[in-house]
Amino acid sequence: MIEVNTTALLLIYFLLWIAVIVVLWIRELLRIKKHSWSLSNGRLFHCDNCHHSFLVKDGTNLTRCPECNAICINKTRRWL
Ligand SMILES: [Zn+2]
């Protein structure tokens, strides 16, 4: 049988808790990085129909307005 005194047991308990917290922290940082938004002119759309401005996730040039469902074209985006 393994003999462990109380101090060693508490130390193992706290080290396990710190490891769990670090793993959850790294997971949260990766999740934030994956779902982060950045502002740029290529992502900003303006609906000419209802004058609603909105951001899109991917780098598309054509999308639908979330308010009125009209087709919006990003005129500020320039293609090479
Ligand atoms: Zn609209």
Side-chain angles (χ1 to χ4, degrees):
M1 182 159 173
I2 301 172
E3 291 185 23
V4 179
N5 60 10
T6 309
T7 307
L9 193 63
L10 281 174
L11 183 65
I12 291 171
Y13 176 76
F14 284 120
L15 287 178
L16 283 176
W17 266 112
I18 289 172
V20 167
I21 290 171
V22 167
V23 166
L24 290 176
W25 185 17
I26 291 172
R27 184 176 147 237
E28 184 68 16
L29 288 177
L30 292 175
R31 190 187 68 80
I32 288 172
K33 182 185 277 186
K34 182 180 176 184
H35 298 289
S36 68
W37 288 84
S38 63
L39 294 177
S40 67
N41 279 342
R43 293 182 178 206
L44 179 64
F45 279 73
H46 180 78
C47 179
D48 293 331
N49 192 24
C50 68
H51 303 289
H52 180 72
S53 296
F54 56 97
L55 294 172
V56 294
K57 181 74 176 171
D58 55 350
T60 181
N61 202 25
L62 185 69
T63 188
R64 289 202 174 259
C65 174
E67 290 292 319
C68 66
N69 207 22
I71 294 176
C72 299
I73 300 171
N74 191 356
K75 297 170 188 157
T76 60
R77 187 176 181 141
R78 295 182 182 173
W79 297 94
L80 295 176

